[in-house]
Amino acid sequence: MKSKLIWKGDLGFVAKGGSGHEVIIDAAEESGGHDQGPRPMELLLHGLAGCTAIDVVLILKKMKVELTDFSVEVEGERAEEHPRRFTRIHLKYKLKGKGLTEKNISRAINLSQEKYCSASNSFNAEITSSYEFENIEQGQ
Amino acid sequence: MKSKLIWKGDLGFVAKGGSGHEVIIDAAEESGGHDQGPRPMELLLHGLAGCTAIDVVLILKKMKVELTDFSVEVEGERAEEHPRRFTRIHLKYKLKGKGLTEKNISRAINLSQEKYCSASNSFNAEITSSYEFENIEQGQ
């Protein structure tokens, strides 16, 4: 899997991988950048959240859950000393839909984290998760 | 450091972190997505390349190098079995400018990889690097 990053001056870059979609990366003004795009470390969290979110959508679909709303909030704690790597990352899944149960949500999240999510398993941080959900079926 | 990912239907998402810039994430058509944005695993490579590239630009600037062109090519090898984590990532730095030497380039890359780059140090993959450069100063 390949990616190429081209420098655009100062601390700005354009990244492009096999999908062909370009992503602008830049540092904040206070760090010498021009804030034309997200920070590199944000992209790590976005990629992690996107990877596990795709898993969870696919697994719940197989379980006949009909999602109406779904979000993942990620919080990454970083070491205080350089290199300021992620030491702990918490994923909070928020789901709304028909057919959601504690059992199928926790199973979907566990399958993602332990078996399928290539991103989660590429980090050396401790990754934890929690979830909250609202079932819109009446009487459930 | 926080990020939030919101589901947009099928396998599409919008991610936003502290910088406020939105990044669309989507799966390929053949995986059930609509290819409206990059894949999650691409974002991991983009973030890694962006992190070390910012370090290298800043370090070389302190060394009075005047860069004219700079790119980073990243190649990530992934495990064949699920979870298909990155097992090895190679970064190839390509530089052009005034004042570039083997010594200052290798020092800048080593400082990034070993001391400063928060992204490189957040992966459990083996990360390797190489570089090529062209010095545009006449007679060097």
Side-chain angles (χ1 to χ4, degrees):
Chain A
M1 186 167 198
K2 292 182 183 184
S3 162
K4 183 171 181 176
L5 190 83
I6 296 172
W7 183 51
K8 294 292 177 184
D10 294 323
L11 302 179
F13 298 86
V14 174
K16 192 159 84 169
S19 73
H21 295 282
E22 291 189 342
V23 178
I24 293 168
I25 299 176
D26 203 351
E29 297 273 359
E30 61 266 30
S31 306
H34 301 290
D35 190 26
Q36 296 296 299
R39 315 293 165 251
M41 293 299 273
E42 285 183 318
L43 294 183
L44 264 55
L45 295 186
H46 294 347
L48 170 61
C51 176
T52 182
I54 286 174
D55 288 345
V56 168
V57 166
L58 289 172
I59 296 166
L60 290 176
K61 196 178 172 189
K62 281 188 187 168
M63 292 171 173
K64 311 293 181 196
V65 167
E66 290 176 37
L67 282 177
T68 57
D69 296 279
F70 177 37
S71 65
V72 181
E73 292 172 15
V74 200
E75 184 156 4
E77 287 175 22
R78 294 172 62 179
E80 290 191 10
E81 302 294 319
H82 286 299
R84 301 195 53 231
R85 72 175 189 93
F86 286 121
T87 49
R88 185 170 172 276
I89 301 173
H90 186 77
L91 296 155
K92 185 171 186 178
Y93 302 79
K94 294 187 175 183
L95 309 101
K96 188 173 173 182
K98 283 188 188 177
L100 288 164
T101 62
E102 297 271 350
K103 194 176 165 186
N104 59 22
I105 297 168
S106 61
R107 176 145 175 80
I109 293 171
N110 286 344
L111 275 173
S112 173
Q113 290 305 321
E114 283 159 31
K115 188 166 178 190
Y116 294 114
C117 183
S118 311
S120 295
N121 288 279
S122 293
F123 284 91
N124 55 23
E126 180 196 7
I127 296 181
T128 57
S129 63
S130 62
Y131 62 88
E132 55 187 57
F133 72 103
E134 186 182 339
N135 202 317
I136 58 171
E137 273 179 309
Q138 220 172 0
Q140 293 214 0
Chain B
M1 186 169 199
K2 292 182 184 187
S3 161
K4 184 171 181 177
L5 190 84
I6 297 172
W7 184 51
K8 295 292 178 183
D10 294 323
L11 301 179
F13 297 87
V14 174
K16 192 159 84 170
S19 72
H21 295 282
E22 292 189 342
V23 178
I24 294 169
I25 299 176
D26 203 351
E29 297 273 0
E30 61 266 30
S31 306
H34 301 291
D35 189 27
Q36 295 298 298
R39 316 293 165 251
M41 293 299 273
E42 284 183 318
L43 295 182
L44 263 55
L45 295 185
H46 294 347
L48 169 62
C51 176
T52 183
I54 287 174
D55 288 344
V56 168
V57 166
L58 289 172
I59 296 166
L60 289 177
K61 195 178 172 188
K62 281 187 188 169
M63 294 171 172
K64 310 293 181 198
V65 168
E66 291 175 36
L67 282 177
T68 57
D69 296 279
F70 177 37
S71 65
V72 182
E73 292 172 15
V74 200
E75 184 156 4
E77 287 176 22
R78 293 172 62 179
E80 289 190 9
E81 302 293 320
H82 285 299
R84 301 194 55 233
R85 73 175 188 91
F86 286 121
T87 50
R88 185 170 172 277
I89 300 173
H90 186 78
L91 295 155
K92 185 171 186 178
Y93 301 78
K94 293 187 175 184
L95 309 102
K96 187 173 172 181
K98 282 188 186 176
L100 288 164
T101 62
E102 296 270 352
K103 194 176 166 186
N104 59 21
I105 297 169
S106 62
R107 175 144 174 80
I109 293 171
N110 286 344
L111 276 172
S112 172
Q113 289 305 320
E114 283 159 31
K115 188 165 178 190
Y116 294 114
C117 183
S118 311
S120 295
N121 288 279
S122 293
F123 284 89
N124 54 23
E126 180 196 7
I127 296 181
T128 56
S129 64
S130 63
Y131 62 88
E132 56 187 59
F133 72 102
E134 185 182 342
N135 202 317
I136 58 171
E137 276 178 308
Q138 219 171 0
Q140 293 214 359

